[in-house]
Amino acid sequence: MDETKENETVTPEEEPEKTAPDGEHEEEKEKKSDDPMQDALAKLQDELKEAKDTYLRMLAEYDNFRRRTAKEKQSVWSDAVAETLKGILPIADNLERAASVADADAEKVQAGLQMTLTALTEFLTKQGITAFGEAGETFDPNLHNAVMHIEDETLGEGVIAEVFQRGYRLGEKVIRFAMVKVAN
């Protein structure tokens, strides 16, 4: 007789499967009962458990998705604001330089301000922002805010006589309405 076989312990994984006389595994035989209602109940409970597990996994995935998209949205917003400000900062620098000059000639200050205004207009154009509201245009309540009316026969009715503040739009969206005086 071989001594190693006597002293060996058999683990559950190594244990040969026990089969019932009719060929079924003992575990399967234990699960089956004589009552078909019990079998159906057990099957439904297993399906419910699987559905619950699937639901919880989907809920967790959705929550992760929601958090990730909120974080990405905030990141995109921060990047857009930073990029926009990066374009405005040189214009602000020019205004600071102009304000710090104490004994400047009025013509030089005028020229510097004109250059700064040109830089600002170019920046706004790059951003897709356009200005509107010029004297002589027809009043449009979707674009203009009439703060004054004037009687003037030389101008037609509903024509803008004076612009107090220009309007701006981004694409078709009005950012700021033009503040105008309109002829009656």
Side-chain angles (χ1 to χ4, degrees):
M1 198 191 271
D2 193 358
E3 289 183 26
T4 57
K5 283 192 176 182
E6 286 179 14
N7 293 336
E8 283 184 6
T9 58
V10 179
T11 62
E13 293 86 27
E14 296 172 346
E15 188 174 300
E17 292 188 31
K18 299 177 185 174
T19 54
D22 58 357
E24 291 184 12
H25 294 305
E26 283 183 18
E27 292 174 5
E28 291 176 12
K29 187 149 187 152
E30 286 176 11
K31 283 186 180 177
K32 284 190 174 181
S33 68
D34 295 332
D35 187 10
M37 294 294 277
Q38 288 293 331
D39 291 343
L41 178 63
K43 183 178 176 183
L44 288 173
Q45 286 174 337
D46 288 343
E47 289 175 6
L48 176 63
K49 185 177 178 182
E50 285 179 32
K52 215 177 192 181
D53 183 55
T54 302
Y55 168 74
L56 290 174
R57 288 178 190 270
M58 287 176 63
L59 186 63
E61 285 179 27
Y62 174 73
D63 193 42
N64 290 340
F65 169 77
R66 186 180 50 77
R67 286 184 193 153
R68 186 173 51 250
T69 54
K71 186 176 178 182
E72 288 172 0
K73 185 177 177 182
Q74 181 62 38
S75 174
V76 166
W77 173 256
S78 297
D79 292 347
V81 168
E83 195 63 31
T84 302
L85 291 176
K86 197 182 333 178
I88 292 175
L89 291 177
I91 298 166
D93 293 340
N94 287 340
L95 289 172
E96 284 179 8
R97 281 188 213 102
S100 68
V101 176
D103 58 348
D105 182 7
E107 290 178 14
K108 289 181 180 178
V109 171
Q110 177 69 24
L113 287 174
Q114 190 59 47
M115 288 178 10
T116 303
L117 183 60
T118 302
L120 179 61
T121 304
E122 289 173 1
F123 170 76
L124 292 175
T125 302
K126 283 182 188 176
Q127 299 303 313
I129 298 172
T130 56
F132 62 88
E134 298 290 329
E137 289 181 1
T138 304
F139 175 76
D140 181 355
N142 296 317
L143 301 175
H144 306 106
N145 182 15
V147 294
M148 292 180 73
H149 292 278
I150 187 172
E151 299 279 335
D152 191 344
E153 287 84 33
T154 61
L155 296 172
E157 187 173 331
V159 174
I160 298 173
E162 189 177 347
V163 178
F164 300 116
Q165 194 175 56
R166 294 180 63 168
Y168 291 92
R169 66 175 143 205
L170 177 62
E172 293 300 315
K173 181 179 179 166
V174 175
I175 298 172
R176 182 176 80 185
F177 293 92
M179 195 180 307
V180 297
K181 182 193 303 187
V182 181
N184 284 342

Short mmCIF file of all heavy atoms in Angstrom, two decimals, residues 50-109:
data_model
loop_
_atom_site.label_atom_id
_atom_site.label_comp_id
_atom_site.label_asym_id
_atom_site.label_seq_id
_atom_site.Cartn_x
_atom_site.Cartn_y
_atom_site.Cartn_z
N GLU A 50 -30.91 38.59 -10.34
CA GLU A 50 -30.14 39.03 -11.51
C GLU A 50 -30.58 40.41 -11.97
O GLU A 50 -29.75 41.27 -12.29
CB GLU A 50 -30.29 38.03 -12.65
CG GLU A 50 -29.52 36.74 -12.46
CD GLU A 50 -29.73 35.78 -13.63
OE1 GLU A 50 -29.91 36.26 -14.77
OE2 GLU A 50 -29.72 34.57 -13.39
N ALA A 51 -31.90 40.63 -12.02
CA ALA A 51 -32.42 41.93 -12.45
C ALA A 51 -32.00 43.03 -11.47
O ALA A 51 -31.65 44.13 -11.88
CB ALA A 51 -33.94 41.88 -12.57
N LYS A 52 -32.04 42.72 -10.19
CA LYS A 52 -31.63 43.69 -9.17
C LYS A 52 -30.15 44.03 -9.33
O LYS A 52 -29.76 45.20 -9.26
CB LYS A 52 -31.88 43.08 -7.79
CG LYS A 52 -32.31 44.02 -6.74
CD LYS A 52 -32.58 43.26 -5.45
CE LYS A 52 -33.29 44.11 -4.46
NZ LYS A 52 -33.54 43.41 -3.21
N ASP A 53 -29.34 43.01 -9.58
CA ASP A 53 -27.91 43.22 -9.77
C ASP A 53 -27.66 44.08 -11.00
O ASP A 53 -26.86 45.03 -10.97
CB ASP A 53 -27.20 41.87 -9.90
CG ASP A 53 -25.70 42.02 -10.02
OD1 ASP A 53 -25.11 42.66 -9.13
OD2 ASP A 53 -25.13 41.50 -11.00
N THR A 54 -28.36 43.78 -12.09
CA THR A 54 -28.22 44.57 -13.32
C THR A 54 -28.64 46.01 -13.09
O THR A 54 -27.97 46.95 -13.52
CB THR A 54 -29.08 43.95 -14.45
OG1 THR A 54 -28.65 42.60 -14.66
CG2 THR A 54 -28.95 44.73 -15.74
N TYR A 55 -29.74 46.20 -12.38
CA TYR A 55 -30.24 47.55 -12.07
C TYR A 55 -29.20 48.32 -11.26
O TYR A 55 -28.90 49.47 -11.56
CB TYR A 55 -31.56 47.46 -11.32
CG TYR A 55 -32.00 48.76 -10.71
CD1 TYR A 55 -32.50 49.79 -11.50
CD2 TYR A 55 -31.88 48.98 -9.34
CE1 TYR A 55 -32.88 50.99 -10.95
CE2 TYR A 55 -32.25 50.19 -8.78
CZ TYR A 55 -32.75 51.18 -9.59
OH TYR A 55 -33.11 52.38 -9.03
N LEU A 56 -28.65 47.70 -10.23
CA LEU A 56 -27.68 48.39 -9.39
C LEU A 56 -26.42 48.74 -10.17
O LEU A 56 -25.85 49.82 -9.99
CB LEU A 56 -27.34 47.54 -8.16
CG LEU A 56 -28.47 47.41 -7.13
CD1 LEU A 56 -28.07 46.43 -6.03
CD2 LEU A 56 -28.83 48.76 -6.53
N ARG A 57 -26.00 47.85 -11.05
CA ARG A 57 -24.82 48.15 -11.87
C ARG A 57 -25.10 49.32 -12.81
O ARG A 57 -24.26 50.21 -12.97
CB ARG A 57 -24.41 46.92 -12.68
CG ARG A 57 -23.77 45.84 -11.84
CD ARG A 57 -23.43 44.63 -12.71
NE ARG A 57 -23.03 43.51 -11.90
CZ ARG A 57 -21.77 43.28 -11.53
NH1 ARG A 57 -20.83 44.10 -11.89
NH2 ARG A 57 -21.49 42.22 -10.79
N MET A 58 -26.27 49.31 -13.45
CA MET A 58 -26.62 50.40 -14.36
C MET A 58 -26.75 51.72 -13.60
O MET A 58 -26.33 52.77 -14.09
CB MET A 58 -27.92 50.09 -15.09
CG MET A 58 -27.75 49.02 -16.15
SD MET A 58 -29.29 48.55 -16.95
CE MET A 58 -29.77 50.06 -17.72
N LEU A 59 -27.30 51.68 -12.40
CA LEU A 59 -27.42 52.88 -11.58
C LEU A 59 -26.04 53.44 -11.24
O LEU A 59 -25.81 54.64 -11.32
CB LEU A 59 -28.22 52.56 -10.31
CG LEU A 59 -28.57 53.73 -9.41
CD1 LEU A 59 -29.49 54.70 -10.15
CD2 LEU A 59 -29.26 53.23 -8.15
N ALA A 60 -25.13 52.55 -10.89
CA ALA A 60 -23.77 52.99 -10.56
C ALA A 60 -23.06 53.55 -11.80
O ALA A 60 -22.38 54.58 -11.72
CB ALA A 60 -22.97 51.83 -9.99
N GLU A 61 -23.26 52.91 -12.96
CA GLU A 61 -22.66 53.41 -14.18
C GLU A 61 -23.21 54.79 -14.55
O GLU A 61 -22.47 55.67 -14.96
CB GLU A 61 -22.92 52.44 -15.34
CG GLU A 61 -22.06 51.19 -15.28
CD GLU A 61 -22.36 50.23 -16.42
OE1 GLU A 61 -22.81 50.69 -17.49
OE2 GLU A 61 -22.13 49.04 -16.23
N TYR A 62 -24.52 54.97 -14.39
CA TYR A 62 -25.14 56.26 -14.70
C TYR A 62 -24.61 57.34 -13.76
O TYR A 62 -24.31 58.46 -14.19
CB TYR A 62 -26.65 56.18 -14.59
CG TYR A 62 -27.30 57.53 -14.75
CD1 TYR A 62 -27.36 58.15 -16.00
CD2 TYR A 62 -27.82 58.22 -13.66
CE1 TYR A 62 -27.91 59.41 -16.15
CE2 TYR A 62 -28.38 59.47 -13.81
CZ TYR A 62 -28.43 60.06 -15.05
OH TYR A 62 -28.97 61.29 -15.18
N ASP A 63 -24.48 57.02 -12.49
CA ASP A 63 -23.97 57.99 -11.52
C ASP A 63 -22.54 58.39 -11.87
O ASP A 63 -22.19 59.57 -11.83
CB ASP A 63 -24.05 57.41 -10.11
CG ASP A 63 -23.83 58.45 -9.04
OD1 ASP A 63 -24.37 59.57 -9.18
OD2 ASP A 63 -23.12 58.16 -8.06
N ASN A 64 -21.73 57.41 -12.24
CA ASN A 64 -20.36 57.71 -12.67
C ASN A 64 -20.34 58.58 -13.92
O ASN A 64 -19.56 59.53 -14.02
CB ASN A 64 -19.58 56.43 -12.92
CG ASN A 64 -19.28 55.67 -11.65
OD1 ASN A 64 -19.31 56.23 -10.56
ND2 ASN A 64 -19.02 54.39 -11.77
N PHE A 65 -21.21 58.25 -14.87
CA PHE A 65 -21.32 59.04 -16.11
C PHE A 65 -21.72 60.47 -15.79
O PHE A 65 -21.15 61.43 -16.33
CB PHE A 65 -22.35 58.39 -17.05
CG PHE A 65 -22.71 59.24 -18.22
CD1 PHE A 65 -21.86 59.37 -19.30
CD2 PHE A 65 -23.92 59.92 -18.24
CE1 PHE A 65 -22.20 60.16 -20.38
CE2 PHE A 65 -24.27 60.72 -19.32
CZ PHE A 65 -23.40 60.83 -20.39
N ARG A 66 -22.71 60.65 -14.93
CA ARG A 66 -23.19 61.99 -14.56
C ARG A 66 -22.07 62.80 -13.91
O ARG A 66 -21.85 63.96 -14.26
CB ARG A 66 -24.38 61.85 -13.60
CG ARG A 66 -25.05 63.16 -13.27
CD ARG A 66 -26.21 62.95 -12.31
NE ARG A 66 -25.89 62.17 -11.13
CZ ARG A 66 -25.22 62.63 -10.07
NH1 ARG A 66 -24.79 63.86 -10.05
NH2 ARG A 66 -24.99 61.84 -9.04
N ARG A 67 -21.34 62.19 -13.00
CA ARG A 67 -20.24 62.91 -12.35
C ARG A 67 -19.14 63.28 -13.34
O ARG A 67 -18.59 64.37 -13.30
CB ARG A 67 -19.64 62.04 -11.23
CG ARG A 67 -20.51 61.96 -10.02
CD ARG A 67 -19.82 61.18 -8.93
NE ARG A 67 -20.76 60.84 -7.88
CZ ARG A 67 -20.65 59.80 -7.09
NH1 ARG A 67 -19.62 58.99 -7.22
NH2 ARG A 67 -21.54 59.57 -6.17
N ARG A 68 -18.81 62.31 -14.22
CA ARG A 68 -17.74 62.55 -15.19
C ARG A 68 -18.12 63.67 -16.15
O ARG A 68 -17.31 64.55 -16.44
CB ARG A 68 -17.45 61.25 -15.95
CG ARG A 68 -16.27 61.32 -16.87
CD ARG A 68 -15.92 59.97 -17.49
NE ARG A 68 -17.04 59.30 -18.10
CZ ARG A 68 -17.62 58.19 -17.61
NH1 ARG A 68 -17.17 57.63 -16.51
NH2 ARG A 68 -18.64 57.63 -18.23
N THR A 69 -19.35 63.68 -16.65
CA THR A 69 -19.76 64.73 -17.58
C THR A 69 -19.85 66.08 -16.88
O THR A 69 -19.53 67.10 -17.50
CB THR A 69 -21.10 64.41 -18.26
OG1 THR A 69 -22.09 64.13 -17.28
CG2 THR A 69 -20.97 63.22 -19.21
N ALA A 70 -20.27 66.11 -15.62
CA ALA A 70 -20.30 67.38 -14.89
C ALA A 70 -18.88 67.93 -14.74
O ALA A 70 -18.65 69.14 -14.90
CB ALA A 70 -20.96 67.20 -13.53
N LYS A 71 -17.94 67.05 -14.46
CA LYS A 71 -16.55 67.47 -14.30
C LYS A 71 -15.99 67.96 -15.64
O LYS A 71 -15.30 68.99 -15.70
CB LYS A 71 -15.72 66.30 -13.79
CG LYS A 71 -14.29 66.63 -13.46
CD LYS A 71 -13.58 65.42 -12.88
CE LYS A 71 -12.14 65.73 -12.58
NZ LYS A 71 -11.42 64.56 -12.07
N GLU A 72 -16.30 67.25 -16.73
CA GLU A 72 -15.84 67.67 -18.06
C GLU A 72 -16.46 69.00 -18.45
O GLU A 72 -15.79 69.85 -19.03
CB GLU A 72 -16.19 66.60 -19.10
CG GLU A 72 -15.36 65.35 -18.98
CD GLU A 72 -15.85 64.23 -19.90
OE1 GLU A 72 -16.85 64.43 -20.63
OE2 GLU A 72 -15.25 63.15 -19.85
N LYS A 73 -17.73 69.17 -18.14
CA LYS A 73 -18.42 70.42 -18.46
C LYS A 73 -17.76 71.60 -17.75
O LYS A 73 -17.53 72.65 -18.33
CB LYS A 73 -19.89 70.30 -18.06
CG LYS A 73 -20.75 71.46 -18.44
CD LYS A 73 -22.19 71.18 -18.04
CE LYS A 73 -23.09 72.33 -18.32
NZ LYS A 73 -24.46 72.07 -17.89
N GLN A 74 -17.45 71.40 -16.47
CA GLN A 74 -16.78 72.46 -15.70
C GLN A 74 -15.41 72.75 -16.28
O GLN A 74 -15.00 73.91 -16.37
CB GLN A 74 -16.68 72.06 -14.22
CG GLN A 74 -16.03 73.10 -13.35
CD GLN A 74 -16.80 74.41 -13.32
OE1 GLN A 74 -18.02 74.42 -13.32
NE2 GLN A 74 -16.09 75.51 -13.29
N SER A 75 -14.72 71.72 -16.69
CA SER A 75 -13.39 71.89 -17.27
C SER A 75 -13.46 72.66 -18.59
O SER A 75 -12.66 73.56 -18.83
CB SER A 75 -12.74 70.52 -17.51
OG SER A 75 -11.54 70.66 -18.20
N VAL A 76 -14.44 72.33 -19.43
CA VAL A 76 -14.60 73.02 -20.71
C VAL A 76 -14.92 74.49 -20.45
O VAL A 76 -14.38 75.39 -21.11
CB VAL A 76 -15.71 72.36 -21.56
CG1 VAL A 76 -16.12 73.23 -22.72
CG2 VAL A 76 -15.23 71.01 -22.06
N TRP A 77 -15.80 74.75 -19.49
CA TRP A 77 -16.17 76.14 -19.15
C TRP A 77 -14.94 76.92 -18.69
O TRP A 77 -14.69 78.03 -19.15
CB TRP A 77 -17.26 76.14 -18.09
CG TRP A 77 -17.57 77.51 -17.57
CD1 TRP A 77 -17.19 78.05 -16.39
CD2 TRP A 77 -18.30 78.54 -18.26
NE1 TRP A 77 -17.65 79.34 -16.28
CE2 TRP A 77 -18.33 79.67 -17.41
CE3 TRP A 77 -18.93 78.61 -19.48
CZ2 TRP A 77 -18.96 80.85 -17.76
CZ3 TRP A 77 -19.57 79.80 -19.83
CH2 TRP A 77 -19.59 80.90 -18.97
N SER A 78 -14.17 76.33 -17.79
CA SER A 78 -12.96 77.00 -17.27
C SER A 78 -11.97 77.28 -18.39
O SER A 78 -11.38 78.36 -18.44
CB SER A 78 -12.30 76.15 -16.19
OG SER A 78 -13.15 75.99 -15.10
N ASP A 79 -11.79 76.31 -19.27
CA ASP A 79 -10.85 76.50 -20.39
C ASP A 79 -11.32 77.60 -21.32
O ASP A 79 -10.52 78.40 -21.81
CB ASP A 79 -10.67 75.19 -21.17
CG ASP A 79 -9.95 74.12 -20.37
OD1 ASP A 79 -9.38 74.46 -19.30
OD2 ASP A 79 -9.98 72.95 -20.79
N ALA A 80 -12.63 77.66 -21.59
CA ALA A 80 -13.17 78.68 -22.49
C ALA A 80 -13.00 80.07 -21.88
O ALA A 80 -12.62 81.02 -22.58
CB ALA A 80 -14.64 78.40 -22.78
N VAL A 81 -13.29 80.20 -20.59
CA VAL A 81 -13.13 81.49 -19.93
C VAL A 81 -11.66 81.91 -19.93
O VAL A 81 -11.33 83.06 -20.24
CB VAL A 81 -13.68 81.44 -18.48
CG1 VAL A 81 -13.28 82.66 -17.69
CG2 VAL A 81 -15.20 81.29 -18.51
N ALA A 82 -10.77 80.98 -19.64
CA ALA A 82 -9.34 81.29 -19.62
C ALA A 82 -8.86 81.73 -21.00
O ALA A 82 -8.09 82.69 -21.13
CB ALA A 82 -8.54 80.09 -19.13
N GLU A 83 -9.32 81.04 -22.04
CA GLU A 83 -8.91 81.38 -23.39
C GLU A 83 -9.42 82.76 -23.79
O GLU A 83 -8.71 83.54 -24.42
CB GLU A 83 -9.42 80.32 -24.38
CG GLU A 83 -8.78 80.36 -25.73
CD GLU A 83 -7.28 80.07 -25.71
OE1 GLU A 83 -6.80 79.31 -24.85
OE2 GLU A 83 -6.58 80.66 -26.56
N THR A 84 -10.65 83.07 -23.41
CA THR A 84 -11.22 84.38 -23.71
C THR A 84 -10.44 85.48 -22.99
O THR A 84 -10.10 86.51 -23.58
CB THR A 84 -12.70 84.42 -23.31
OG1 THR A 84 -13.39 83.39 -24.02
CG2 THR A 84 -13.33 85.76 -23.65
N LEU A 85 -10.18 85.27 -21.71
CA LEU A 85 -9.43 86.27 -20.95
C LEU A 85 -8.02 86.46 -21.48
O LEU A 85 -7.49 87.58 -21.47
CB LEU A 85 -9.40 85.90 -19.47
CG LEU A 85 -10.75 85.99 -18.75
CD1 LEU A 85 -10.63 85.51 -17.32
CD2 LEU A 85 -11.29 87.40 -18.80
N LYS A 86 -7.43 85.39 -21.99
CA LYS A 86 -6.10 85.50 -22.56
C LYS A 86 -6.10 86.47 -23.74
O LYS A 86 -5.13 87.19 -23.97
CB LYS A 86 -5.60 84.12 -23.01
CG LYS A 86 -4.12 84.07 -23.21
CD LYS A 86 -3.53 82.77 -23.71
CE LYS A 86 -4.23 81.50 -23.42
NZ LYS A 86 -3.57 80.33 -24.00
N GLY A 87 -7.20 86.52 -24.48
CA GLY A 87 -7.30 87.45 -25.60
C GLY A 87 -7.56 88.87 -25.16
O GLY A 87 -7.18 89.83 -25.85
N ILE A 88 -8.19 89.06 -24.02
CA ILE A 88 -8.53 90.40 -23.52
C ILE A 88 -7.35 91.04 -22.78
O ILE A 88 -7.20 92.27 -22.78
CB ILE A 88 -9.77 90.34 -22.60
CG1 ILE A 88 -11.00 89.98 -23.44
CG2 ILE A 88 -10.00 91.65 -21.89
CD1 ILE A 88 -12.25 89.78 -22.62
N LEU A 89 -6.51 90.24 -22.17
CA LEU A 89 -5.42 90.78 -21.34
C LEU A 89 -4.49 91.74 -22.08
O LEU A 89 -4.11 92.78 -21.51
CB LEU A 89 -4.64 89.65 -20.69
CG LEU A 89 -5.43 88.88 -19.61
CD1 LEU A 89 -4.60 87.72 -19.07
CD2 LEU A 89 -5.87 89.80 -18.50
N PRO A 90 -4.08 91.49 -23.31
CA PRO A 90 -3.23 92.49 -24.00
C PRO A 90 -3.94 93.83 -24.17
O PRO A 90 -3.29 94.88 -24.10
CB PRO A 90 -2.94 91.84 -25.37
CG PRO A 90 -3.15 90.39 -25.16
CD PRO A 90 -4.21 90.26 -24.10
N ILE A 91 -5.23 93.80 -24.37
CA ILE A 91 -5.99 95.05 -24.51
C ILE A 91 -6.00 95.79 -23.18
O ILE A 91 -5.81 97.00 -23.12
CB ILE A 91 -7.42 94.75 -25.00
CG1 ILE A 91 -7.35 94.09 -26.38
CG2 ILE A 91 -8.28 96.00 -25.03
CD1 ILE A 91 -8.63 93.45 -26.84
N ALA A 92 -6.19 95.06 -22.09
CA ALA A 92 -6.16 95.66 -20.75
C ALA A 92 -4.76 96.25 -20.47
O ALA A 92 -4.65 97.33 -19.88
CB ALA A 92 -6.54 94.63 -19.69
N ASP A 93 -3.71 95.54 -20.90
CA ASP A 93 -2.35 96.05 -20.72
C ASP A 93 -2.16 97.39 -21.45
O ASP A 93 -1.57 98.32 -20.90
CB ASP A 93 -1.31 95.04 -21.24
CG ASP A 93 -1.28 93.76 -20.41
OD1 ASP A 93 -1.74 93.79 -19.26
OD2 ASP A 93 -0.79 92.74 -20.95
N ASN A 94 -2.69 97.48 -22.65
CA ASN A 94 -2.57 98.74 -23.42
C ASN A 94 -3.31 99.87 -22.73
O ASN A 94 -2.83 101.01 -22.69
CB ASN A 94 -3.10 98.56 -24.84
CG ASN A 94 -2.17 97.72 -25.69
OD1 ASN A 94 -1.00 97.57 -25.38
ND2 ASN A 94 -2.72 97.15 -26.76
N LEU A 95 -4.48 99.59 -22.17
CA LEU A 95 -5.23 100.62 -21.45
C LEU A 95 -4.47 101.06 -20.20
O LEU A 95 -4.45 102.26 -19.87
CB LEU A 95 -6.62 100.11 -21.09
CG LEU A 95 -7.59 99.96 -22.26
CD1 LEU A 95 -8.86 99.27 -21.81
CD2 LEU A 95 -7.90 101.32 -22.88
N GLU A 96 -3.84 100.13 -19.50
CA GLU A 96 -3.05 100.48 -18.31
C GLU A 96 -1.88 101.38 -18.70
O GLU A 96 -1.57 102.35 -18.00
CB GLU A 96 -2.54 99.23 -17.61
CG GLU A 96 -3.59 98.51 -16.80
CD GLU A 96 -3.05 97.25 -16.13
OE1 GLU A 96 -1.81 97.02 -16.15
OE2 GLU A 96 -3.87 96.52 -15.57
N ARG A 97 -1.21 101.04 -19.79
CA ARG A 97 -0.08 101.86 -20.25
C ARG A 97 -0.55 103.27 -20.59
O ARG A 97 0.11 104.26 -20.25
CB ARG A 97 0.58 101.23 -21.47
CG ARG A 97 1.50 100.10 -21.14
CD ARG A 97 2.28 99.63 -22.38
NE ARG A 97 2.50 98.20 -22.25
CZ ARG A 97 1.82 97.24 -22.86
NH1 ARG A 97 0.88 97.53 -23.72
NH2 ARG A 97 2.10 95.98 -22.66
N ALA A 98 -1.70 103.38 -21.26
CA ALA A 98 -2.22 104.69 -21.64
C ALA A 98 -2.60 105.49 -20.40
O ALA A 98 -2.36 106.71 -20.35
CB ALA A 98 -3.44 104.53 -22.54
N ALA A 99 -3.15 104.85 -19.40
CA ALA A 99 -3.55 105.55 -18.18
C ALA A 99 -2.34 105.98 -17.35
O ALA A 99 -2.42 106.95 -16.59
CB ALA A 99 -4.46 104.66 -17.34
N SER A 100 -1.23 105.29 -17.46
CA SER A 100 -0.06 105.61 -16.63
C SER A 100 0.78 106.75 -17.20
O SER A 100 1.63 107.29 -16.51
CB SER A 100 0.81 104.37 -16.45
OG SER A 100 1.41 104.01 -17.69
N VAL A 101 0.57 107.15 -18.44
CA VAL A 101 1.34 108.23 -19.05
C VAL A 101 0.78 109.56 -18.52
O VAL A 101 -0.38 109.89 -18.71
CB VAL A 101 1.25 108.17 -20.59
CG1 VAL A 101 1.97 109.34 -21.22
CG2 VAL A 101 1.80 106.85 -21.10
N ALA A 102 1.64 110.32 -17.84
CA ALA A 102 1.19 111.56 -17.19
C ALA A 102 1.28 112.77 -18.13
O ALA A 102 0.36 113.57 -18.19
CB ALA A 102 2.01 111.80 -15.94
N ASP A 103 2.36 112.90 -18.84
CA ASP A 103 2.55 114.12 -19.62
C ASP A 103 2.45 113.82 -21.13
O ASP A 103 3.24 114.33 -21.92
CB ASP A 103 3.90 114.76 -19.29
CG ASP A 103 5.06 113.82 -19.54
OD1 ASP A 103 4.81 112.61 -19.75
OD2 ASP A 103 6.20 114.28 -19.55
N ALA A 104 1.48 113.03 -21.51
CA ALA A 104 1.36 112.63 -22.91
C ALA A 104 0.63 113.69 -23.71
O ALA A 104 -0.21 114.43 -23.20
CB ALA A 104 0.60 111.32 -22.99
N ASP A 105 0.99 113.76 -24.94
CA ASP A 105 0.34 114.64 -25.90
C ASP A 105 -1.05 114.06 -26.19
O ASP A 105 -1.22 112.86 -26.31
CB ASP A 105 1.21 114.65 -27.16
CG ASP A 105 0.67 115.59 -28.23
OD1 ASP A 105 -0.29 116.33 -27.96
OD2 ASP A 105 1.23 115.56 -29.35
N ALA A 106 -2.05 114.91 -26.31
CA ALA A 106 -3.42 114.47 -26.53
C ALA A 106 -3.55 113.67 -27.82
O ALA A 106 -4.31 112.70 -27.88
CB ALA A 106 -4.37 115.66 -26.56
N GLU A 107 -2.79 114.03 -28.83
CA GLU A 107 -2.85 113.30 -30.10
C GLU A 107 -2.30 111.89 -29.94
O GLU A 107 -2.82 110.94 -30.52
CB GLU A 107 -2.07 114.06 -31.18
CG GLU A 107 -2.74 115.34 -31.60
CD GLU A 107 -1.92 116.10 -32.64
OE1 GLU A 107 -0.98 115.52 -33.23
OE2 GLU A 107 -2.23 117.28 -32.86
N LYS A 108 -1.22 111.75 -29.15
CA LYS A 108 -0.65 110.42 -28.92
C LYS A 108 -1.61 109.54 -28.12
O LYS A 108 -1.75 108.36 -28.40
CB LYS A 108 0.69 110.54 -28.20
CG LYS A 108 1.80 111.11 -29.05
CD LYS A 108 3.09 111.17 -28.27
CE LYS A 108 4.20 111.75 -29.11
NZ LYS A 108 5.46 111.87 -28.37
N VAL A 109 -2.26 110.14 -27.14
CA VAL A 109 -3.24 109.39 -26.34
C VAL A 109 -4.40 108.94 -27.23
O VAL A 109 -4.85 107.80 -27.18
CB VAL A 109 -3.76 110.23 -25.14
CG1 VAL A 109 -4.92 109.54 -24.46
CG2 VAL A 109 -2.64 110.49 -24.16
#
